[in-house]
Amino acid sequence: MSAELLSILALVLMFVVATAFPVNLGALALVGAFLVGTLAAGMETGDILDAFPGSLFVILVGVTLLFAIATNNGTVDWLVRAAVHLVRGRIVAIPLVIFTISALLTAVGAPAPAVAAILAPIAYGFAAQFNIHALLIGLMVAHGTQAGAFSPISVLGGIVNGVTKEAGLPSSNLVLFLSSFAFNAAAAVIVFFLFGGPSLARRTASDAAPAPENDETDGEPTGGGGTATLARTGTGLRLTGHQALTLAGIAGLCLSVLAFKLDVGLTAVTVAVILSLTSPKSNKGAVEKVAWPTVLLICGVVTYVGVLQEIGTIDWVGTHVAAIGIPLVVALLICYVGGVVSAFASTVGILGALVPLAVPFLSQGTLGPIAMVAALSVASAIVDVSPFSTTGALLVANVRGMDRDVFYRKLLGYGAAVVVVGPLAAWAVLVVPGWLG
């Protein structure tokens, strides 16, 4: 068996093992890089370690550390409650606020699972209090996190943009970000109409009643009274000095990266250190809250992909894929691979592996690389509503206002529909027209 084929089989085995067992895919990928590199390809250990993405590691640690500090000192909670306070009793605006806050947090660098973990309990609290359908509010969190997930300073955006830049392919930060935002915003609109959104327009906080304590309702609005909770969201909204400094730091990070082209990771670490120095007590434990499993996952997979490139697997796969002879069909297949696998595994892991594997195919110039990369990214990320994904699992774990088993089955059905429709829609809108280079 050739080293190229063996390395592909090893990659598939890693995803299977990481799905079936509680083993970090990044750790498996590092082991795979070591074994495949030394035993199958005769690589030196130093060459394998050279594939470790040092700059990406700094980006991941920097942005997640900054987000951990913002969570630790209450800035994230302040943002959510201040935003909900702005609806002034208009229940119909709550799903929009949750979607917007979710998108904003991932857009400024917070990992999507971390955002879902923090916002899901808050969102379900409002949903249970004001009888908003559990699927409506949960999917606003899920699609919101993916809407902002491909900004230039986000984790996923950094991965995709870095890979395309390394490959010498044309890229567009704006197209990648807007594509993901547009598809997830469209999905959110559909969700709004599917799960009782229009009926919320006829209700105010004075018409809403708390959900039953046993949370055994089906999530449909039941009517009644109860304005206290929404009114209380207006209390405690005073911004502390350190929270204001944190918001200024996040704004400064965005400005530095977008306007002055400074390095995302080093700038984020700088802001995080400044915040830590200005308030050591409030930021105690922030380093422990960095998404280390995510860092290990991404860096491990990217290291393995580096070994694949050194072995020649990337070119080997590109040559065989191109042999199919119908570029649009190949593009659709790649999108579906990304969507289906990502529904059961990590999006960051899938993109870290699939984008490099698609590079030789894209280098032929038969399809626009910008459009194809955007379509693959959308197809791989929009399916994170699946209950088997991290974000989907967090929704199931935190659900209120609906029996958990009922919610799981409904989310499973919705996730399956997205897996079928999402990649096809991304391919049809972004790739088929050929309007992007």
Side-chain angles (χ1 to χ4, degrees):
M1 184 182 298
S2 67
E4 293 87 355
L5 181 57
L6 182 62
S7 64
I8 292 295
L9 293 177
L11 180 61
V12 174
L13 180 62
M14 288 175 207
F15 280 111
V16 172
V17 172
T19 302
F21 300 95
V23 182
N24 189 287
L25 177 60
L28 287 172
L30 288 174
V31 173
F34 174 59
L35 295 180
V36 172
T38 55
L39 300 180
M43 293 177 63
E44 296 291 334
T45 303
D47 294 330
I48 296 174
L49 293 177
D50 285 342
F52 184 85
S55 61
L56 182 56
F57 173 83
V58 175
I59 291 175
L60 295 173
V61 172
V63 296
T64 56
L65 176 60
L66 178 57
F67 179 73
I69 291 174
T71 302
N72 219 28
N73 64 25
T75 302
V76 172
D77 185 64
W78 181 89
L79 277 171
V80 174
R81 297 190 180 280
V84 172
H85 177 61
L86 292 177
V87 306
R88 299 183 182 279
R90 292 185 291 272
I91 295 178
V92 69
I94 292 179
L96 174 62
V97 168
I98 296 299
F99 176 89
T100 303
I101 291 293
S102 301
L104 176 64
L105 291 176
T106 53
V108 298
V115 174
I118 292 170
L119 288 188
I122 298 172
Y124 280 128
F126 286 119
Q129 178 69 26
F130 301 106
N131 300 302
I132 302 172
H133 199 295
L135 274 171
L136 170 58
I137 206 70
L139 290 172
M140 287 297 166
V141 173
H143 283 302
T145 58
Q146 297 310 318
F150 288 93
S151 77
I153 63 172
S154 68
V155 173
L156 291 179
I159 293 172
V160 175
N161 290 325
V163 170
T164 52
K165 182 179 179 181
E166 240 181 76
L169 294 174
S171 62
S172 172
N173 294 341
L174 185 61
V175 168
L176 180 63
F177 171 65
L178 291 181
S179 296
S180 179
F181 189 92
F183 272 87
N184 281 281
V189 170
I190 294 172
V191 166
F192 182 83
F193 283 96
L194 281 178
F195 300 111
S199 66
L200 300 179
R202 299 188 294 272
R203 300 165 52 213
T204 64
S206 60
D207 303 318
E213 289 298 323
N214 60 8
D215 285 341
E216 296 296 322
T217 69
D218 63 359
E220 297 294 342
T222 57
T227 62
T229 296
L230 193 59
R232 284 197 298 270
T233 62
T235 64
L237 286 180
R238 179 171 305 196
L239 194 65
T240 68
H242 198 248
Q243 289 170 343
L245 184 61
T246 302
L247 290 176
I250 294 173
L253 170 64
C254 298
L255 180 65
S256 300
V257 172
L258 299 178
F260 300 104
K261 310 299 181 183
L262 297 183
D263 181 81
V264 177
L266 293 175
T267 305
V269 170
T270 301
V271 174
V273 169
I274 292 173
L275 292 175
S276 297
L277 291 174
T278 54
S279 182
K281 288 185 178 180
S282 65
N283 294 322
K284 185 179 180 180
V287 173
E288 288 78 5
K289 293 181 180 179
V290 169
W292 294 113
T294 301
V295 174
L296 175 60
L297 168 65
I298 298 171
C299 291
V301 170
V302 174
T303 300
Y304 188 77
V305 169
V307 171
L308 295 185
Q309 291 174 324
E310 184 68 23
I311 293 174
T313 303
I314 305 297
D315 292 332
W316 183 82
V317 170
T319 301
H320 283 75
V321 168
I324 295 177
I326 308 176
L328 283 176
V329 173
V330 174
L332 180 60
L333 290 176
I334 293 175
C335 287
Y336 266 112
V337 168
V340 172
V341 178
S342 183
F344 296 89
S346 165
T347 300
V348 292
I350 293 301
L351 287 174
L354 277 185
V355 174
L357 291 177
V359 166
F361 166 67
L362 296 175
S363 298
Q364 296 178 355
T366 52
L367 294 176
I370 294 176
M372 183 60 212
V373 169
L376 176 57
S377 300
V378 170
S380 300
I382 200 170
V383 299
D384 279 359
V385 295
S386 160
F388 302 110
S389 69
T390 305
T391 299
L394 287 168
L395 297 184
V396 176
N398 289 283
V399 67
R400 293 178 60 191
M402 180 182 288
D403 178 77
R404 184 169 282 107
D405 290 336
V406 174
F407 181 84
Y408 170 81
R409 290 194 295 271
K410 289 180 178 289
L411 184 64
L412 181 62
Y414 177 80
V418 172
V419 169
V420 172
V421 176
L424 178 63
W427 172 80
V429 173
L430 296 171
V431 179
V432 174
W435 55 276
L436 291 173

